[in-house]
Amino acid sequence: MAEIERETMEYDVVIVGAGPAGLSAAIRLKQLDADLEVVVLEKGSEVGAHILSGAVLDPCGLDALIPDWKEKGAPLNTEVKEDNFYMLGEAGEIRVPNLPMPPLMNNHGNYIVSMGNVCRWMAEQAEELGVEIFPGMSCSELVYGDKGEVKGVVAGVFGLEEDGSYGPNTEPGMELHGKYVFLSEGVRGSLSKEVIAKYDLQAGKDVQKYGVGMKEIWEIDPAKHKEGTVTHTMGWPLNSNAGGGSFIYHLENNQVYVGFVVHLNYKNPHLYPYMEFQRFKHHPMVAELLKGGKRVAYGARAITEGGYQSMPKLVAPGVALLGCSAGMVNVPRIKGNHNAMLSGKSAAEAAYAAIQTDRSGDELSEYETAVRDGDIGKDLKKVRNVKPMWSKWGLMPSLALGGLDMWTNTLFGLSLFGTLKHGKNDAESTEEASKHKEIDYPKPDGVLSFDRLTNVSFAATNHEESQPCHLRLADPNLPISTNLPKFNEPAQRYCPAGVYEVVEKDGKPEFVVNFQNCVHCKTCDIKDPSQNITWTTPQGGDGPNYPNM
Protein backbone atom coordinates (compact mmCIF):
# COMPACT_ATOMS: atom_id res chain seq x y z
CA MET A 1 0.00 0.00 0.00
CA ALA A 2 1.33 3.43 -0.93
CA GLU A 3 2.28 5.72 1.94
CA ILE A 4 -0.68 7.71 3.19
CA GLU A 5 -0.54 11.40 2.32
CA ARG A 6 -1.92 13.80 4.89
CA GLU A 7 -2.18 17.54 5.24
CA THR A 8 0.11 18.91 7.93
CA MET A 9 -0.61 21.80 10.29
CA GLU A 10 2.05 23.40 12.47
CA TYR A 11 1.47 24.72 16.00
CA ASP A 12 3.55 25.71 18.97
CA VAL A 13 1.66 23.32 21.27
CA VAL A 14 -0.74 20.51 20.36
CA ILE A 15 -3.06 19.42 23.18
CA VAL A 16 -4.97 16.13 23.11
CA GLY A 17 -8.13 16.26 25.20
CA ALA A 18 -10.45 19.13 26.16
CA GLY A 19 -10.80 18.19 29.80
CA PRO A 20 -9.79 20.42 32.74
CA ALA A 21 -6.06 19.72 32.27
CA GLY A 22 -5.89 20.34 28.53
CA LEU A 23 -8.07 23.45 28.60
CA SER A 24 -6.11 24.88 31.54
CA ALA A 25 -2.89 24.41 29.58
CA ALA A 26 -4.36 26.10 26.52
CA ILE A 27 -5.68 29.05 28.51
CA ARG A 28 -2.40 29.55 30.35
CA LEU A 29 -0.33 29.43 27.16
CA LYS A 30 -2.41 32.21 25.59
CA GLN A 31 -2.34 34.21 28.82
CA LEU A 32 1.46 34.11 28.67
CA ASP A 33 1.77 34.88 24.96
CA ALA A 34 -1.22 35.73 22.79
CA ASP A 35 0.82 34.97 19.67
CA LEU A 36 1.44 31.32 20.49
CA GLU A 37 -0.35 28.90 18.16
CA VAL A 38 -2.27 26.46 20.34
CA VAL A 39 -4.73 23.76 19.30
CA VAL A 40 -6.91 21.44 21.43
CA LEU A 41 -8.22 18.21 19.89
CA GLU A 42 -11.27 16.61 21.52
CA LYS A 43 -12.63 13.18 20.55
CA GLY A 44 -16.12 13.89 21.93
CA SER A 45 -18.84 15.31 19.71
CA GLU A 46 -18.53 18.53 21.69
CA VAL A 47 -16.46 19.72 24.62
CA GLY A 48 -17.89 18.05 27.72
CA ALA A 49 -19.60 15.18 25.89
CA HIS A 50 -17.17 12.63 27.37
CA ILE A 51 -16.77 14.27 30.78
CA LEU A 52 -18.40 12.00 33.37
CA SER A 53 -18.10 13.75 36.67
CA GLY A 54 -20.68 14.68 39.19
CA ALA A 55 -17.89 16.28 41.13
CA VAL A 56 -17.13 18.27 44.20
CA LEU A 57 -14.61 20.75 42.85
CA ASP A 58 -11.86 22.33 44.92
CA PRO A 59 -11.62 25.73 43.18
CA CYS A 60 -7.90 26.19 43.90
CA GLY A 61 -7.05 25.27 40.30
CA LEU A 62 -9.46 27.83 38.88
CA ASP A 63 -8.27 30.39 41.43
CA ALA A 64 -4.73 30.01 40.10
CA LEU A 65 -5.72 30.02 36.45
CA ILE A 66 -8.60 32.51 36.22
CA PRO A 67 -8.78 34.43 39.53
CA ASP A 68 -11.93 36.31 38.43
CA TRP A 69 -13.84 33.17 37.46
CA LYS A 70 -16.90 34.26 39.44
CA GLU A 71 -17.17 37.52 37.53
CA LYS A 72 -16.69 35.63 34.27
CA GLY A 73 -19.66 33.40 35.02
CA ALA A 74 -18.03 30.05 35.73
CA PRO A 75 -20.76 27.46 36.42
CA LEU A 76 -19.86 26.89 40.06
CA ASN A 77 -23.30 27.53 41.48
CA THR A 78 -23.71 25.15 44.40
CA GLU A 79 -21.35 25.65 47.32
CA VAL A 80 -21.05 22.74 49.72
CA LYS A 81 -23.08 23.44 52.85
CA GLU A 82 -23.05 20.07 54.62
CA ASP A 83 -20.66 17.08 54.73
CA ASN A 84 -21.90 13.62 55.75
CA PHE A 85 -19.98 10.35 56.09
CA TYR A 86 -21.75 7.04 56.78
CA MET A 87 -20.81 3.43 57.34
CA LEU A 88 -23.58 1.31 55.87
CA GLY A 89 -24.95 -2.03 56.96
CA GLU A 90 -27.61 -3.85 54.98
CA ALA A 91 -30.46 -2.41 57.05
CA GLY A 92 -29.03 0.76 58.55
CA GLU A 93 -26.20 3.23 58.81
CA ILE A 94 -23.84 4.85 61.32
CA ARG A 95 -22.82 8.49 60.93
CA VAL A 96 -19.06 9.00 61.10
CA PRO A 97 -18.33 12.28 62.92
CA ASN A 98 -16.47 14.95 60.97
CA LEU A 99 -14.40 16.19 63.91
CA PRO A 100 -11.61 13.54 63.89
CA MET A 101 -11.12 13.79 60.14
CA PRO A 102 -8.04 15.62 58.84
CA PRO A 103 -8.68 19.15 57.55
CA LEU A 104 -7.97 18.08 53.97
CA MET A 105 -11.21 16.04 54.06
CA ASN A 106 -13.31 19.13 54.74
CA ASN A 107 -15.37 20.28 51.76
CA HIS A 108 -15.92 23.81 53.06
CA GLY A 109 -15.38 26.24 50.19
CA ASN A 110 -15.81 23.57 47.51
CA TYR A 111 -18.56 23.38 44.90
CA ILE A 112 -20.84 20.66 43.53
CA VAL A 113 -20.49 20.98 39.77
CA SER A 114 -21.07 19.41 36.40
CA MET A 115 -17.50 19.13 35.11
CA GLY A 116 -18.94 18.86 31.60
CA ASN A 117 -20.38 22.34 32.01
CA VAL A 118 -17.21 23.63 33.67
CA CYS A 119 -15.21 22.39 30.67
CA ARG A 120 -17.67 23.94 28.23
CA TRP A 121 -17.18 27.26 30.02
CA MET A 122 -13.40 26.84 30.03
CA ALA A 123 -13.50 26.15 26.30
CA GLU A 124 -15.28 29.49 25.81
CA GLN A 125 -12.55 31.23 27.79
CA ALA A 126 -9.88 29.52 25.71
CA GLU A 127 -11.49 30.41 22.40
CA GLU A 128 -11.83 34.05 23.46
CA LEU A 129 -8.04 34.02 23.91
CA GLY A 130 -7.54 32.59 20.41
CA VAL A 131 -7.13 28.87 21.12
CA GLU A 132 -8.32 26.63 18.30
CA ILE A 133 -10.54 23.81 19.60
CA PHE A 134 -11.58 20.98 17.28
CA PRO A 135 -14.23 18.62 18.76
CA GLY A 136 -15.03 15.34 17.08
CA MET A 137 -11.34 14.84 16.29
CA SER A 138 -9.95 11.60 17.68
CA CYS A 139 -6.19 11.35 17.85
CA SER A 140 -5.38 7.86 16.66
CA GLU A 141 -1.59 7.95 16.30
CA LEU A 142 1.50 9.73 17.55
CA VAL A 143 3.93 11.22 15.06
CA TYR A 144 7.62 10.82 15.88
CA GLY A 145 10.51 12.97 14.71
CA ASP A 146 13.93 11.95 13.43
CA LYS A 147 15.42 11.93 16.94
CA GLY A 148 12.70 9.75 18.41
CA GLU A 149 10.80 12.66 19.91
CA VAL A 150 7.04 13.07 19.81
CA LYS A 151 6.38 15.83 17.29
CA GLY A 152 2.64 15.55 16.72
CA VAL A 153 -0.48 13.45 16.32
CA VAL A 154 -2.68 12.08 13.59
CA ALA A 155 -6.27 13.26 14.00
CA GLY A 156 -9.53 13.06 12.11
CA VAL A 157 -9.30 9.65 10.46
CA PHE A 158 -12.81 8.62 9.34
CA GLY A 159 -14.33 5.84 7.26
CA LEU A 160 -11.86 3.00 7.83
CA GLU A 161 -12.91 -0.39 6.51
CA GLU A 162 -14.29 -2.84 9.04
CA ASP A 163 -10.91 -4.62 9.24
CA GLY A 164 -9.12 -1.34 9.97
CA SER A 165 -7.68 -0.88 6.49
CA TYR A 166 -7.95 2.22 4.32
CA GLY A 167 -10.66 2.03 1.68
CA PRO A 168 -11.94 4.26 -1.12
CA ASN A 169 -14.10 6.31 1.27
CA THR A 170 -11.52 6.71 4.02
CA GLU A 171 -10.59 10.22 5.11
CA PRO A 172 -6.92 9.89 6.13
CA GLY A 173 -7.03 12.76 8.60
CA MET A 174 -4.20 15.20 9.14
CA GLU A 175 -0.98 15.51 11.06
CA LEU A 176 -0.81 18.26 13.64
CA HIS A 177 2.76 19.05 14.65
CA GLY A 178 3.88 21.00 17.67
CA LYS A 179 7.05 22.05 19.38
CA TYR A 180 5.49 20.20 22.30
CA VAL A 181 2.56 17.78 22.58
CA PHE A 182 0.45 17.62 25.74
CA LEU A 183 -1.53 14.45 26.41
CA SER A 184 -4.55 15.17 28.59
CA GLU A 185 -6.67 12.21 27.55
CA GLY A 186 -7.87 11.28 31.01
CA VAL A 187 -7.52 7.85 32.60
CA ARG A 188 -5.71 5.14 30.61
CA GLY A 189 -5.52 7.20 27.43
CA SER A 190 -4.33 5.16 24.46
CA LEU A 191 -1.62 7.63 23.39
CA SER A 192 -0.47 8.13 26.97
CA LYS A 193 -0.24 4.37 27.39
CA GLU A 194 1.95 4.20 24.27
CA VAL A 195 4.23 6.99 25.50
CA ILE A 196 4.59 5.45 28.97
CA ALA A 197 5.60 2.13 27.41
CA LYS A 198 7.85 3.53 24.67
CA TYR A 199 9.91 5.72 27.00
CA ASP A 200 9.62 3.41 30.04
CA LEU A 201 8.14 6.22 32.12
CA GLN A 202 6.87 3.83 34.81
CA ALA A 203 10.41 2.64 35.62
CA GLY A 204 11.15 3.07 39.32
CA LYS A 205 7.51 3.91 40.10
CA ASP A 206 4.85 1.78 41.72
CA VAL A 207 2.11 0.12 39.66
CA GLN A 208 -0.86 2.30 38.80
CA LYS A 209 -4.16 1.39 40.49
CA TYR A 210 -7.71 2.06 39.34
CA GLY A 211 -11.36 2.02 40.27
CA VAL A 212 -14.48 2.04 38.14
CA GLY A 213 -16.92 4.84 38.94
CA MET A 214 -20.56 4.66 37.86
CA LYS A 215 -22.97 7.56 38.16
CA GLU A 216 -26.64 8.31 37.67
CA ILE A 217 -28.25 11.73 37.73
CA TRP A 218 -31.65 11.72 39.47
CA GLU A 219 -34.38 14.32 39.73
CA ILE A 220 -35.89 13.83 43.17
CA ASP A 221 -38.86 15.03 45.22
CA PRO A 222 -38.20 18.73 46.08
CA ALA A 223 -39.17 18.00 49.69
CA LYS A 224 -36.15 15.66 49.98
CA HIS A 225 -33.68 17.84 48.12
CA LYS A 226 -31.00 19.60 50.20
CA GLU A 227 -28.95 21.74 47.84
CA GLY A 228 -25.27 21.76 48.77
CA THR A 229 -25.31 18.50 50.74
CA VAL A 230 -22.47 16.04 50.18
CA THR A 231 -22.77 12.45 51.41
CA HIS A 232 -20.19 9.67 51.17
CA THR A 233 -20.67 6.08 52.30
CA MET A 234 -18.54 2.97 52.78
CA GLY A 235 -19.29 -0.62 53.72
CA TRP A 236 -22.45 -2.32 52.41
CA PRO A 237 -23.00 -3.73 49.83
CA LEU A 238 -19.30 -4.29 49.08
CA ASN A 239 -18.21 -5.20 52.62
CA SER A 240 -15.12 -7.46 52.31
CA ASN A 241 -15.65 -8.33 48.63
CA ALA A 242 -14.02 -5.15 47.34
CA GLY A 243 -12.92 -1.67 48.29
CA GLY A 244 -15.01 1.29 47.29
CA GLY A 245 -17.96 3.41 48.32
CA SER A 246 -20.58 5.86 47.18
CA PHE A 247 -21.24 9.55 46.77
CA ILE A 248 -24.52 11.47 46.75
CA TYR A 249 -24.28 15.15 45.84
CA HIS A 250 -27.26 17.51 45.89
CA LEU A 251 -26.85 20.16 43.19
CA GLU A 252 -29.40 22.69 41.96
CA ASN A 253 -32.78 22.04 40.26
CA ASN A 254 -33.75 19.18 42.60
CA GLN A 255 -31.05 17.00 41.07
CA VAL A 256 -28.64 14.64 42.79
CA TYR A 257 -25.57 12.82 41.52
CA VAL A 258 -25.69 9.24 42.78
CA GLY A 259 -22.37 7.51 42.24
CA PHE A 260 -20.63 4.30 43.20
CA VAL A 261 -16.93 3.41 42.99
CA VAL A 262 -15.48 -0.10 43.06
CA HIS A 263 -11.72 -0.52 43.38
CA LEU A 264 -10.53 -2.75 40.55
CA ASN A 265 -8.11 -4.78 42.67
CA TYR A 266 -10.91 -7.09 43.79
CA LYS A 267 -10.06 -10.81 43.83
CA ASN A 268 -13.40 -12.50 43.14
CA PRO A 269 -14.02 -12.64 39.37
CA HIS A 270 -17.72 -13.26 40.06
CA LEU A 271 -18.03 -9.70 41.42
CA TYR A 272 -20.31 -7.53 39.31
CA PRO A 273 -19.52 -3.83 39.98
CA TYR A 274 -22.56 -2.52 38.11
CA MET A 275 -24.93 -4.71 40.10
CA GLU A 276 -23.24 -3.67 43.36
CA PHE A 277 -24.16 -0.11 42.38
CA GLN A 278 -27.75 -1.08 41.64
CA ARG A 279 -28.03 -3.00 44.91
CA PHE A 280 -26.67 0.02 46.83
CA LYS A 281 -29.68 2.10 45.79
CA HIS A 282 -31.96 -0.29 47.68
CA HIS A 283 -30.36 0.60 51.01
CA PRO A 284 -33.15 2.16 53.13
CA MET A 285 -31.36 5.52 53.40
CA VAL A 286 -30.79 5.78 49.64
CA ALA A 287 -34.12 4.25 48.59
CA GLU A 288 -36.02 6.77 50.70
CA LEU A 289 -34.15 9.66 49.06
CA LEU A 290 -34.83 8.40 45.53
CA LYS A 291 -38.43 7.30 46.09
CA GLY A 292 -40.71 9.23 43.74
CA GLY A 293 -37.78 10.49 41.66
CA LYS A 294 -36.51 9.53 38.24
CA ARG A 295 -33.12 8.72 36.76
CA VAL A 296 -32.22 11.03 33.87
CA ALA A 297 -28.65 10.04 32.95
CA TYR A 298 -26.06 7.29 33.44
CA GLY A 299 -22.36 6.88 32.75
CA ALA A 300 -19.17 5.18 33.88
CA ARG A 301 -15.46 5.94 33.92
CA ALA A 302 -12.27 4.47 35.32
CA ILE A 303 -10.52 6.45 38.05
CA THR A 304 -6.79 6.53 38.78
CA GLU A 305 -6.14 5.55 42.39
CA GLY A 306 -2.40 4.88 42.61
CA GLY A 307 -1.55 8.39 43.76
CA TYR A 308 1.84 9.90 44.46
CA GLN A 309 3.98 6.77 44.24
CA SER A 310 2.30 5.55 41.04
CA MET A 311 2.64 8.67 38.90
CA PRO A 312 4.96 7.86 35.99
CA LYS A 313 7.67 10.18 34.85
CA LEU A 314 5.64 13.02 33.35
CA VAL A 315 7.83 13.99 30.40
CA ALA A 316 9.59 12.44 27.44
CA PRO A 317 11.13 14.11 24.38
CA GLY A 318 8.50 16.45 22.96
CA VAL A 319 5.62 15.25 25.15
CA ALA A 320 4.13 15.76 28.62
CA LEU A 321 1.41 13.87 30.52
CA LEU A 322 -1.22 16.04 32.19
CA GLY A 323 -3.88 15.37 34.81
CA CYS A 324 -5.39 11.90 34.91
CA SER A 325 -3.19 10.77 32.02
CA ALA A 326 -0.58 10.60 34.77
CA GLY A 327 -2.91 9.82 37.70
CA MET A 328 -3.33 12.88 39.93
CA VAL A 329 -6.47 11.91 41.88
CA ASN A 330 -6.48 12.41 45.63
CA VAL A 331 -8.24 9.15 46.54
CA PRO A 332 -9.64 9.89 50.03
CA ARG A 333 -10.90 13.28 48.84
CA ILE A 334 -12.27 11.74 45.59
CA LYS A 335 -10.91 14.79 43.80
CA GLY A 336 -8.58 15.21 40.84
CA ASN A 337 -9.95 18.09 38.79
CA HIS A 338 -8.10 20.72 40.81
CA ASN A 339 -4.80 18.91 40.24
CA ALA A 340 -5.61 18.47 36.55
CA MET A 341 -6.01 22.24 36.23
CA LEU A 342 -2.82 22.93 38.15
CA SER A 343 -0.90 20.44 36.00
CA GLY A 344 -2.12 22.11 32.81
CA LYS A 345 -1.02 25.49 34.13
CA SER A 346 2.43 24.17 35.09
CA ALA A 347 2.94 22.40 31.76
CA ALA A 348 2.00 25.57 29.90
CA GLU A 349 4.46 27.64 31.88
CA ALA A 350 7.25 25.14 31.24
CA ALA A 351 6.50 25.03 27.49
CA TYR A 352 6.29 28.81 27.25
CA ALA A 353 9.67 29.24 28.93
CA ALA A 354 11.20 26.62 26.62
CA ILE A 355 9.77 28.16 23.45
CA GLN A 356 11.07 31.58 24.48
CA THR A 357 14.58 30.15 24.32
CA ASP A 358 13.98 28.38 20.97
CA ARG A 359 13.73 24.92 22.50
CA SER A 360 11.47 22.27 21.04
CA GLY A 361 11.07 18.51 21.11
CA ASP A 362 13.02 18.05 24.34
CA GLU A 363 11.95 17.06 27.84
CA LEU A 364 10.12 19.71 29.85
CA SER A 365 11.87 18.78 33.08
CA GLU A 366 10.68 22.05 34.63
CA TYR A 367 7.13 20.72 34.45
CA GLU A 368 8.09 17.50 36.22
CA THR A 369 9.73 19.50 39.01
CA ALA A 370 6.77 21.86 39.34
CA VAL A 371 4.33 18.96 39.78
CA ARG A 372 6.34 16.86 42.21
CA ASP A 373 7.64 19.73 44.34
CA GLY A 374 4.60 22.01 44.09
CA ASP A 375 0.99 21.97 45.21
CA ILE A 376 0.09 18.76 43.36
CA GLY A 377 2.91 16.78 44.93
CA LYS A 378 2.08 18.14 48.38
CA ASP A 379 -1.59 17.28 47.94
CA LEU A 380 -0.90 13.69 46.85
CA LYS A 381 1.98 12.97 49.20
CA LYS A 382 -0.18 13.53 52.29
CA VAL A 383 -2.58 10.77 51.28
CA ARG A 384 -0.21 8.35 49.54
CA ASN A 385 -0.73 5.49 52.00
CA VAL A 386 -4.53 5.50 52.22
CA LYS A 387 -5.14 3.33 49.16
CA PRO A 388 -2.42 0.69 49.86
CA MET A 389 -3.59 0.47 53.50
CA TRP A 390 -7.15 -0.19 52.33
CA SER A 391 -5.96 -2.84 49.87
CA LYS A 392 -3.69 -4.63 52.34
CA TRP A 393 -5.58 -4.37 55.63
CA GLY A 394 -9.23 -3.77 54.78
CA LEU A 395 -11.69 -0.98 55.46
CA MET A 396 -11.75 -0.53 59.24
CA PRO A 397 -7.97 -0.68 59.90
CA SER A 398 -7.34 1.63 56.96
CA LEU A 399 -9.85 4.16 58.29
CA ALA A 400 -8.00 4.38 61.60
CA LEU A 401 -4.43 4.12 60.33
CA GLY A 402 -5.11 6.15 57.18
CA GLY A 403 -6.61 8.92 59.30
CA LEU A 404 -3.56 8.87 61.58
CA ASP A 405 -1.24 8.95 58.57
CA MET A 406 -3.04 11.91 57.02
CA TRP A 407 -2.88 13.77 60.34
CA THR A 408 0.88 13.22 60.81
CA ASN A 409 1.50 14.23 57.20
CA THR A 410 -0.61 17.36 57.67
CA LEU A 411 0.87 18.41 61.02
CA PHE A 412 4.47 17.30 60.70
CA GLY A 413 5.04 16.54 57.02
CA LEU A 414 5.99 12.93 57.75
CA SER A 415 4.50 9.46 57.79
CA LEU A 416 5.04 6.77 60.40
CA PHE A 417 4.68 4.24 57.58
CA GLY A 418 7.02 5.75 54.99
CA THR A 419 5.61 5.14 51.51
CA LEU A 420 3.69 1.89 51.19
CA LYS A 421 3.65 -0.17 48.01
CA HIS A 422 0.51 -1.22 46.15
CA GLY A 423 1.71 -4.70 45.23
CA LYS A 424 0.02 -6.33 42.23
CA ASN A 425 -1.66 -4.44 39.45
CA ASP A 426 -5.44 -4.78 39.17
CA ALA A 427 -5.39 -7.44 36.44
CA GLU A 428 -2.99 -9.61 38.49
CA SER A 429 -5.21 -9.24 41.56
CA THR A 430 -7.97 -11.28 39.93
CA GLU A 431 -8.02 -14.82 41.31
CA GLU A 432 -9.38 -17.97 39.74
CA ALA A 433 -13.13 -18.44 39.88
CA SER A 434 -12.80 -21.80 41.64
CA LYS A 435 -11.45 -20.03 44.74
CA HIS A 436 -14.58 -17.91 45.18
CA LYS A 437 -18.32 -18.29 45.52
CA GLU A 438 -20.66 -16.81 42.95
CA ILE A 439 -22.63 -13.78 44.13
CA ASP A 440 -26.41 -13.82 43.84
CA TYR A 441 -27.55 -10.37 42.73
CA PRO A 442 -31.22 -9.33 42.96
CA LYS A 443 -32.96 -8.65 39.67
CA PRO A 444 -33.31 -4.90 38.97
CA ASP A 445 -36.83 -3.65 39.74
CA GLY A 446 -36.97 -0.98 37.02
CA VAL A 447 -37.78 1.69 39.62
CA LEU A 448 -34.63 2.14 41.70
CA SER A 449 -32.38 -0.33 39.89
CA PHE A 450 -32.01 -0.98 36.19
CA ASP A 451 -30.45 -3.50 33.84
CA ARG A 452 -27.24 -2.42 32.11
CA LEU A 453 -28.55 -2.02 28.59
CA THR A 454 -31.45 0.14 29.71
CA ASN A 455 -29.08 2.35 31.66
CA VAL A 456 -26.58 2.57 28.78
CA SER A 457 -29.31 4.17 26.69
CA PHE A 458 -29.22 7.02 29.22
CA ALA A 459 -25.55 7.62 28.36
CA ALA A 460 -26.58 8.40 24.76
CA THR A 461 -23.55 6.52 23.52
CA ASN A 462 -23.21 5.97 19.80
CA HIS A 463 -20.67 4.32 17.51
CA GLU A 464 -20.80 3.98 13.74
CA GLU A 465 -21.34 0.25 13.34
CA SER A 466 -19.33 -0.13 10.14
CA GLN A 467 -16.11 1.18 11.68
CA PRO A 468 -13.47 -1.19 13.08
CA CYS A 469 -14.02 -2.40 16.62
CA HIS A 470 -11.93 -0.14 18.85
CA LEU A 471 -11.63 -2.87 21.51
CA ARG A 472 -8.76 -4.97 20.22
CA LEU A 473 -8.19 -8.58 21.30
CA ALA A 474 -4.56 -9.67 21.13
CA ASP A 475 -5.80 -13.28 20.93
CA PRO A 476 -9.46 -13.66 19.85
CA ASN A 477 -9.52 -17.22 21.18
CA LEU A 478 -8.25 -16.45 24.67
CA PRO A 479 -11.58 -15.33 26.24
CA ILE A 480 -13.03 -18.80 25.65
CA SER A 481 -9.87 -20.91 25.88
CA THR A 482 -8.48 -19.32 29.05
CA ASN A 483 -10.63 -16.64 30.68
CA LEU A 484 -13.86 -18.64 30.66
CA PRO A 485 -12.62 -21.85 32.33
CA LYS A 486 -10.18 -20.08 34.63
CA PHE A 487 -11.98 -16.85 35.58
CA ASN A 488 -15.57 -17.42 34.36
CA GLU A 489 -14.74 -14.67 31.82
CA PRO A 490 -15.11 -11.61 34.09
CA ALA A 491 -15.50 -9.22 31.14
CA GLN A 492 -19.17 -10.23 31.24
CA ARG A 493 -19.39 -8.49 34.61
CA TYR A 494 -16.68 -5.87 35.04
CA CYS A 495 -17.84 -3.87 32.00
CA PRO A 496 -20.49 -1.36 33.18
CA ALA A 497 -21.96 -1.08 29.66
CA GLY A 498 -22.61 -4.70 28.69
CA VAL A 499 -20.04 -4.67 25.89
CA TYR A 500 -18.83 -8.24 26.43
CA GLU A 501 -20.96 -11.39 26.34
CA VAL A 502 -20.42 -15.12 26.25
CA VAL A 503 -23.19 -16.66 24.13
CA GLU A 504 -23.81 -20.18 22.88
CA LYS A 505 -23.50 -20.79 19.15
CA ASP A 506 -23.84 -24.24 17.62
CA GLY A 507 -23.55 -25.71 21.09
CA LYS A 508 -20.26 -23.94 21.85
CA PRO A 509 -19.49 -20.75 23.82
CA GLU A 510 -18.57 -17.69 21.78
CA PHE A 511 -17.17 -14.35 22.96
CA VAL A 512 -19.08 -11.35 21.59
CA VAL A 513 -17.89 -7.73 21.67
CA ASN A 514 -20.77 -5.24 21.39
CA PHE A 515 -18.50 -2.22 20.92
CA GLN A 516 -21.47 0.00 20.07
CA ASN A 517 -22.37 0.00 23.80
CA CYS A 518 -18.96 1.28 24.94
CA VAL A 519 -19.00 4.36 27.20
CA HIS A 520 -15.19 4.66 27.07
CA CYS A 521 -14.63 3.77 30.72
CA LYS A 522 -11.57 1.61 29.82
CA THR A 523 -12.17 -0.86 32.64
CA CYS A 524 -11.55 -3.74 30.21
CA ASP A 525 -8.10 -2.43 29.36
CA ILE A 526 -7.29 -2.42 33.07
CA LYS A 527 -9.03 -5.42 34.67
CA ASP A 528 -8.86 -8.18 32.05
CA PRO A 529 -6.82 -10.85 33.93
CA SER A 530 -5.02 -11.93 30.74
CA GLN A 531 -4.42 -8.33 29.60
CA ASN A 532 -5.82 -9.39 26.24
CA ILE A 533 -7.98 -6.29 25.58
CA THR A 534 -6.61 -2.96 24.39
CA TRP A 535 -8.89 0.06 24.27
CA THR A 536 -8.14 2.25 21.25
CA THR A 537 -9.72 5.47 20.11
CA PRO A 538 -12.79 5.14 17.88
CA GLN A 539 -13.49 7.72 15.21
CA GLY A 540 -14.21 11.25 16.38
CA GLY A 541 -17.56 12.13 17.86
CA ASP A 542 -18.38 8.54 18.78
CA GLY A 543 -18.99 7.44 22.33
CA PRO A 544 -21.16 8.82 25.12
CA ASN A 545 -22.90 12.18 24.99
CA TYR A 546 -23.30 13.11 28.60
CA PRO A 547 -26.05 15.66 29.22
CA ASN A 548 -25.58 19.39 29.42
CA MET A 549 -26.99 19.74 32.92
Side-chain angles (χ1 to χ4, degrees), residues 24-223:
S24 295
I27 289 168
R28 186 59 180 152
L29 283 162
K30 296 296 274 188
Q31 288 174 340
L32 291 166
D33 185 348
D35 294 328
L36 287 174
E37 296 291 334
V38 180
V39 65
V40 179
L41 303 163
E42 166 56 38
K43 66 182 173 67
S45 58
E46 64 168 341
V47 173
H50 289 182
I51 301 290
L52 174 75
S53 181
V56 173
L57 177 66
D58 181 339
C60 66
L62 267 186
D63 290 340
L65 184 69
I66 307 174
D68 57 346
W69 54 264
K70 286 186 179 179
E71 291 76 13
K72 289 182 179 291
L76 280 67
N77 305 317
T78 306
E79 190 166 359
V80 176
K81 299 174 184 175
E82 183 179 348
D83 249 340
N84 300 310
F85 296 85
Y86 290 96
M87 288 294 300
L88 299 187
E90 187 168 0
E93 67 280 344
I94 298 173
R95 173 80 184 271
V96 179
N98 296 58
L99 188 61
M101 295 185 184
L104 63 89
M105 297 295 289
N106 189 342
N107 277 307
H108 177 74
N110 298 331
Y111 293 81
I112 302 170
V113 299
S114 159
M115 279 309 298
N117 285 344
V118 171
C119 288
R120 291 178 181 100
W121 176 83
M122 291 178 71
E124 293 172 1
Q125 309 309 303
E127 288 180 323
E128 286 179 8
L129 293 170
V131 175
E132 294 182 39
I133 300 178
F134 297 146
M137 291 283 279
S138 288
C139 298
S140 52
E141 299 176 44
L142 292 166
V143 179
Y144 295 98
D146 295 336
K147 298 178 181 178
E149 80 280 10
V150 175
K151 75 170 187 178
V153 297
V154 174
V157 177
F158 289 92
L160 291 170
E161 298 293 295
E162 201 166 337
D163 64 358
S165 64
Y166 282 67
N169 298 316
T170 301
E171 297 178 28
M174 62 180 69
E175 290 189 10
L176 296 99
H177 296 173
K179 295 171 182 173
Y180 295 99
V181 174
F182 291 169
L183 299 180
S184 51
E185 303 172 286
V187 178
R188 198 75 166 191
S190 52
L191 301 185
S192 303
K193 189 177 171 184
E194 179 180 332
V195 163
I196 291 169
K198 179 179 176 63
Y199 298 103
D200 199 17
L201 302 185
Q202 205 68 38
K205 313 296 183 185
D206 205 349
V207 297
Q208 187 57 269
K209 304 292 285 184
Y210 300 90
V212 57
M214 297 153 286
K215 183 192 78 175
E216 295 171 357
I217 302 177
W218 281 70
E219 292 178 358
I220 65 169
D221 181 347

Side-chain angles (χ1 to χ4, degrees), residues 268-309:
N268 184 352
H270 300 296
L271 188 84
Y272 197 160
Y274 175 83
M275 289 306 299
E276 295 286 351
F277 175 32
Q278 298 307 303
R279 184 160 61 166
F280 157 76
K281 290 181 291 175
H282 286 273
H283 187 276
M285 182 182 80
V286 185
E288 178 57 33
L289 175 70
L290 301 181
K291 183 179 179 181
K294 65 176 182 178
R295 159 217 50 180
V296 296
Y298 167 75
R301 184 59 49 88
I303 303 165
T304 52
E305 295 184 341
Y308 183 81
Q309 58 268 57

Side-chain angles (χ1 to χ4, degrees), residues 211-359:
V212 57
M214 297 153 286
K215 183 192 78 175
E216 295 171 357
I217 302 177
W218 281 70
E219 292 178 358
I220 65 169
D221 181 347
K224 301 175 184 177
H225 186 252
K226 298 179 181 179
E227 186 172 314
T229 297
V230 167
T231 298
H232 293 102
T233 77
M234 293 174 286
W236 190 88
L238 291 173
N239 295 327
S240 61
N241 284 328
S246 82
F247 60 86
I248 302 173
Y249 301 154
H250 292 242
L251 63 161
E252 59 261 43
N253 301 321
N254 299 316
Q255 291 188 336
V256 292
Y257 295 129
V258 183
F260 199 80
V261 177
V262 177
H263 300 171
L264 287 175
N265 63 346
Y266 61 83
K267 297 176 181 179
N268 184 352
H270 300 296
L271 188 84
Y272 197 160
Y274 175 83
M275 289 306 299
E276 295 286 351
F277 175 32
Q278 298 307 303
R279 184 160 61 166
F280 157 76
K281 290 181 291 175
H282 286 273
H283 187 276
M285 182 182 80
V286 185
E288 178 57 33
L289 175 70
L290 301 181
K291 183 179 179 181
K294 65 176 182 178
R295 159 217 50 180
V296 296
Y298 167 75
R301 184 59 49 88
I303 303 165
T304 52
E305 295 184 341
Y308 183 81
Q309 58 268 57
S310 297
M311 275 198 304
K313 183 181 177 183
L314 304 176
V315 294
V319 66
L321 303 176
L322 277 55
C324 280
S325 290
M328 297 182 183
V329 171
N330 183 313
V331 172
R333 296 185 75 199
I334 323 179
K335 291 179 180 64
N337 289 305
H338 63 299
N339 285 337
M341 293 179 183
L342 292 171
S343 75
K345 179 175 179 289
S346 294
E349 290 166 353
Y352 165 74
I355 291 169
Q356 293 302 108
T357 57
D358 293 324
R359 287 167 51 195

